[in-house]
Amino acid sequence: MTRKLIRNGRFFTPIDEGSPLAGDRQGRVASWLNGAMVVCDGVIERIGTESEIMSDMNSSRFDEVVDCGGNCVIPGFVDSHTHMCFSGRREAEFGLRLKGASYLDILKAGGGILSSVQGVRKISAEQLMQATFVMAVSAFRLGTTTLEIKSGYGLNIETELKMLSAIDGVRRQTSQDIVATFMGAHAVPEEFRNSADDYVKLIIHDMIPAVVGQGIARYCDVFCEQGVFSISQSRRILTAAQEAGLGLKIHADEVHDLGGAALAAEMRAVSAEHLLAAGDSGIASLATAGTIAVLLPGTAYSLQKPYARARYMIAAGVPVAIATDCNPGSSFTESMPFIFGLSVMNMGMTPEEALTAATLNAAYAIGMADRVGSFDKGKQADFLILDGESPAILAYHAGVSPVIAIYKKGKALEIG
Ligand SMILES: [Zn+2]
């Protein structure tokens, strides 16, 4: 047994009460300004003020002492929405968008997601795993200790399974926790351009059983959007996924308010993602169902769109998480510090609300809250030391990462 003392830190954490934090609770963060944490075999044993802990425990009982230098300490980031399993960037397309081409125009012309599909279909599983590993490690250095990665650049059985096995390969190579999501319904592939319903049937009758047989994916996600998958197609896919035992997520109301948020609530999906265009009634249905809104401000930044209405959602009682949406098209960032900054500066969230959104609520959005997302006794000791006094440093010191040390299960990541 190895016991570590993490001392001389200003600890900030949401408190896990057994469900995602919504409304006023989203911004209620516990803090110990002269704090310490006891970690036993990588698991949090105790957190409190340093004087309290030292009065009960003899310092000789610790195998190692980590001095946080009076800096802020927060739980490791949980990035609950990424597409970082891809090959090839789309820098030229970014240039076109800066000249005024819309995201859906680019998709219609065979660019966007479909150009990533060509790249991913071409390369080997090993090359894809290596490319994804590079992205995951980069995110780790920016403080992401747990993340979700979606498939969805395969759009046929063979390549979707290849993506999921590449994601699983990354999971085995890194000490980050990685949750895989099957997203065969990310776009309609070229071969089915005029017969989207046949592609929906392929997903339901062939892909979902194959994915469940493979045993890697825990969730199924659908891009419910004009020109992609309709509400009724999305409902059919999600129903089949649910019956097969997968958890549900929906890319909802990103460009148009199609009713994706209401569908997420109706299907009891764990989360509805994006929601840039979500209307009041969709938001009300998320609050009633307790569905987590996963907001992706990197997408609004990259597509130069208005941001999701985080303040309205929090006031309506929807639990909000934030994530990178890391992908080569509409949000090319793996930086949770950047996303935190956008959430505070451009979505009007308080630093405390953003902290809950980037840790505990995000952990709930990928079924990991029993292990990560807060400094509660019994959870993994995943924590970050920031070069600052409070989580606000993540918005205040812009354009850099204030993350100066990263610990996963109590073990330091060497930042080289
Ligand atoms: Zn996405």
Side-chain angles (χ1 to χ4, degrees):
M1 192 179 71
T2 310
R3 185 174 272 124
K4 290 186 188 183
L5 175 69
I6 320 300
R7 62 168 294 271
N8 191 21
R10 299 163 67 90
F11 287 75
F12 293 80
T13 180
I15 298 293
D16 192 352
E17 296 166 1
S19 60
L21 298 177
D24 291 345
R25 290 160 67 223
Q26 169 116 25
R28 232 177 277 150
V29 160
S31 61
W32 295 269
L33 299 185
N34 295 296
M37 189 161 75
V38 180
V39 174
C40 190
D41 289 339
V43 170
I44 298 168
E45 194 176 66
R46 199 173 159 190
I47 184 164
T49 64
E50 188 164 339
S51 55
E52 242 167 45
I53 286 176
M54 295 318 292
S55 69
D56 298 347
M57 295 184 89
N58 188 312
S59 53
S60 65
R61 291 184 57 195
F62 298 110
D63 302 285
E64 190 189 331
V65 176
V66 176
D67 187 330
C68 302
N71 287 304
C72 171
V73 185
I74 61 170
F77 293 127
V78 178
D79 190 350
S80 58
H81 182 140
T82 88
H83 305 261
M84 64 170 66
C85 183
F86 63 86
S87 151
R89 298 178 177 182
R90 300 191 332 231
E91 211 167 320
E93 180 190 307
F94 178 69
L96 288 177
R97 280 199 284 103
L98 288 180
K99 290 191 183 124
S102 82
Y103 178 72
L104 291 182
D105 286 343
I106 290 170
L107 187 60
K108 249 187 254 159
I113 292 171
L114 296 175
S115 73
S116 289
V117 169
Q118 286 174 3
V120 167
R121 282 183 182 176
K122 265 194 299 216
I123 66 168
S124 72
E126 176 61 26
Q127 286 170 315
L128 186 58
M129 199 272 282
Q130 282 309 331
T132 310
F133 180 70
V134 168
M135 294 300 299
V137 168
S138 175
F140 206 174
R141 290 186 173 139
L142 293 159
T144 299
T145 48
T146 299
L147 68 158
E148 183 254 22
I149 309 178
K150 300 175 198 292
S151 71
Y153 294 129
L155 310 186
N156 61 34
I157 298 176
E158 179 200 349
T159 320
E160 287 293 313
L161 295 180
K162 179 172 84 179
M163 288 189 75
L164 290 166
S165 93
I167 295 165
D168 197 51
V170 176
R171 184 185 62 75
R172 278 186 263 111
Q173 278 203 16
T174 165
S175 54
Q176 288 154 300
D177 283 298
I178 296 183
V179 172
T181 294
F182 163 62
M183 199 173 179
H186 196 191
V188 178
E190 299 275 21
E191 316 79 278
F192 290 89
R193 190 185 271 254
N194 298 312
S195 54
D197 269 329
D198 288 336
Y199 184 58
V200 171
K201 282 186 198 142
L202 181 78
I203 294 175
I204 293 173
H205 298 299
D206 298 298
M207 283 194 188
I208 290 174
V211 164
V212 170
Q214 187 191 31
I216 294 169
R218 279 165 59 178
Y219 291 94
C220 175
D221 197 340
V222 175
F223 191 2
C224 180
E225 183 55 66
Q226 248 174 45
V228 195
F229 296 95
S230 67
I231 289 282
S232 113
Q233 291 169 330
S234 301
R235 186 186 284 111
R236 270 181 278 154
I237 293 166
L238 293 170
T239 303
Q242 193 166 45
E243 283 167 3
L246 295 170
L248 307 184
K249 294 176 161 290
I250 308 183
H251 281 54
D253 306 333
E254 176 179 354
V255 187
H256 301 96
D257 185 10
L258 279 198
L263 178 65
E266 171 200 319
M267 298 290 306
R268 289 287 184 264
V270 65
S271 60
E273 333 263 319
H274 285 290
L275 303 167
L276 299 184
D280 296 357
S281 73
I283 291 171
S285 57
L286 293 179
T288 307
T291 305
I292 299 166
V294 178
L295 304 184
L296 309 164
T299 315
Y301 166 84
S302 177
L303 299 180
Q304 298 175 297
K305 288 275 178 65
Y307 286 74
R309 296 186 293 154
R311 282 257 58 83
Y312 182 89
M313 292 180 201
I314 291 171
V318 179
V320 169
I322 53 175
T324 61
D325 193 25
C326 178
N327 76 79
S330 57
S331 180
F332 187 36
T333 180
E334 64 276 36
S335 170
M336 285 297 282
F338 175 59
I339 293 302
F340 192 105
L342 291 180
S343 302
V344 170
M345 305 311 290
N346 293 354
M347 293 203 297
M349 294 173 76
T350 66
E352 292 77 15
E353 288 166 345
L355 181 65
T356 300
T359 56
L360 185 62
N361 281 359
Y364 272 106
I366 54 170
M368 290 294 291
D370 56 332
R371 275 170 278 172
V372 303
S374 63
F375 291 149
D376 283 285
K377 184 172 186 257
K379 288 199 188 187
Q380 292 176 13
D382 295 1
F383 62 93
L384 313 176
I385 304 177
L386 307 182
D387 177 23
E389 295 175 0
S390 77
I393 190 66
L394 291 157
Y396 172 50
H397 198 179
V400 299
S401 170
V403 178
I404 51 178
I406 297 136
Y407 284 78
K408 179 68 182 173
K409 295 183 188 165
K411 207 168 154 276
L413 172 77
E414 304 298 334
I415 309 182

